[in-house]
Amino acid sequence: MITPTPTAAPAPASERAALDFPTSLGTSDPTTIRLLGQDLSQDLLGKVGFGELAFWLATLRRPTAGETRVFESVLVALADHGFTPTAIAARLTFLSAPDAIQGALAAGLLGGGSRFLGVTEDTGRFLAEVLAAHGQTPRTDEEFDELARRAVGRYRAERRIIPGLGHPVHKEQDPRTPVIIAIAEEEQLRGTHLRLFEAVGRVHPEALGRRLPLNGAGVCGAALADLGLPVELLRGFALLARAAGLLGHLAEELRRPLANDVYTAVDRNARYVSPEATRAGRDA
C-alpha cells in the first residue's frame, strides 16, 4: 500500500505577504490585462505592430518610427533564407511528429548557432568589443578604417574567424547588406557599429589577401547594436525572425510535403562503411 504524501500546510499569511515577483511586462486581473504599463485592449490592440511591441518588450521603451523601421527591416531580412539546416530540421521533425508543431518549430530554432543565425549576435558582439576596447569613438572613415585594420589584423594573427565576413551562397555581395545600411542612413541610425562593420569590409583584403562580402546576418547584428539593443539578446531577435520563416516552411509542408522525400533520399542512398575502414581513414 502506498502511503500518500502529506499535503504541505499553507504558508502563514505573513510569509505569503512577503512574496514579491516584480515585472515590468504583463500582468492581469479578472477584468483587465496590462502590458508595459498599458491597457492591452484599449491602448495596444490595433495600434501597435508586432515588431514595435517586440522592441518595446526588450527595451522597456517604445521605439521611434525610425527605430521601428530599421528593427522590422532586420526581422524581414532574417526571416527565411531557403532550405537552410534550420528549415530542414523543422520539416523533418514535423514529418516525424505532425501532432506537435511546437517540436518542429523548436527543432528549427535550436539550430540557430555559429553558422546560421548566430552570426547576428557574433558580429554585434565583435563590433561592440572592438569599440569598447578602443575607448574613444572614431569620427571619420579614416579613423574607423584604422580601428578595423587593427581588429582584423589581431583576429588574423590569432587565427580567429572575423564575424560577419563571407557567405556560403552570396560570394560577391549579400543583397541585404547595402539595403539595411541605406535604411539606417535614411533614419539617421547608421551608428558606430554599422560604420565599423563597413570599415571591416573596406580593409579586410589587406590582411586576408582576398575580398569577402559583408554577411547580411552580420549587418543585421550591427544595425541592432546601433539601436542600443544588448548584444546578449541579438541572437534572440534573429530567432524571433526565423520563427516566422519556420512557420512558413511548416505551412508549405502541409500544402506540398517534401520532408519524406528528403528522408527517403538520404535513407536509400546510405552506404555501409566497415568499422575497420573508418578507423583506417578510408571511405570504402
Side-chain angles (χ1 to χ4, degrees), residues 15-282:
E15 183 177 332
R16 292 199 303 272
L19 293 177
D20 183 38
F21 302 100
T23 178
S24 298
L25 304 179
T27 58
S28 62
D29 59 38
T31 59
T32 61
I33 302 174
R34 309 231 8 124
L35 184 63
L36 297 163
Q38 312 292 312
D39 185 298
L40 177 67
S41 301
Q42 301 301 315
D43 301 329
L44 301 180
L45 294 184
K47 301 174 183 177
V48 175
F50 180 70
E52 181 180 2
L53 180 64
F55 187 106
W56 198 347
L57 285 167
T59 63
L60 298 183
R61 68 175 182 84
R62 189 169 187 171
T64 65
E67 289 173 327
T68 299
R69 184 181 179 220
V70 172
F71 182 71
E72 292 187 344
S73 296
V74 167
L75 296 183
V76 172
L78 295 174
D80 182 60
H81 206 53
F83 285 105
T84 59
T86 59
I88 294 170
R91 285 187 181 238
L92 290 175
T93 304
F94 192 56
L95 171 67
S96 180
D99 53 317
I101 193 171
Q102 70 275 16
L105 282 170
L109 293 175
L110 287 172
S114 58
R115 292 186 178 177
F116 291 87
L117 295 178
V119 176
T120 299
E121 176 189 325
D122 296 341
T123 304
R125 188 182 295 274
F126 161 69
L127 298 170
E129 289 175 352
V130 170
L131 288 166
H134 184 62
Q136 187 174 357
T137 303
R139 295 184 179 182
T140 66
D141 285 347
E142 290 75 18
E143 291 177 351
F144 275 104
D145 284 356
E146 182 56 33
L147 179 57
R149 191 174 288 111
R150 292 201 301 269
V152 170
R154 184 177 74 254
Y155 266 59
R156 176 69 169 173
E158 297 171 356
R159 298 182 181 275
R160 298 168 65 186
I161 294 175
I162 301 165
L165 275 183
H167 193 280
V169 177
H170 309 300
K171 300 299 184 180
E172 296 298 325
Q173 183 183 65
D174 191 315
R176 298 169 292 181
T177 298
V179 176
I180 290 174
I181 292 173
I183 291 172
E185 177 69 23
E186 290 170 9
E187 301 298 340
Q188 300 182 3
L189 291 168
R190 178 172 158 258
T192 55
H193 299 85
L194 275 171
R195 293 189 66 185
L196 178 58
F197 191 52
E198 292 176 77
V200 169
R202 290 191 295 267
V203 307
H204 76 269
E206 302 172 16
L208 304 186
R210 57 179 177 145
R211 180 174 295 280
L212 297 170
L214 292 177
N215 189 291
V219 79
C220 287
L224 292 175
D226 275 345
L227 292 177
L229 298 169
V231 294
E232 296 85 0
L233 293 181
L234 299 190
R235 189 175 304 188
F237 295 118
L239 294 172
L240 173 67
R242 188 53 57 91
L246 293 174
L247 189 59
H249 275 276
L250 297 178
E252 187 172 74
E253 190 66 26
L254 287 171
R255 293 190 300 267
R256 189 184 303 136
L258 59 76
N260 193 61
D261 294 338
V262 175
Y263 155 65
T264 302
V266 176
D267 182 63
R268 296 296 178 266
N269 290 281
R271 181 170 57 86
Y272 177 78
V273 179
S274 71
E276 293 77 14
T278 299
R279 287 195 296 270
R282 301 194 306 273

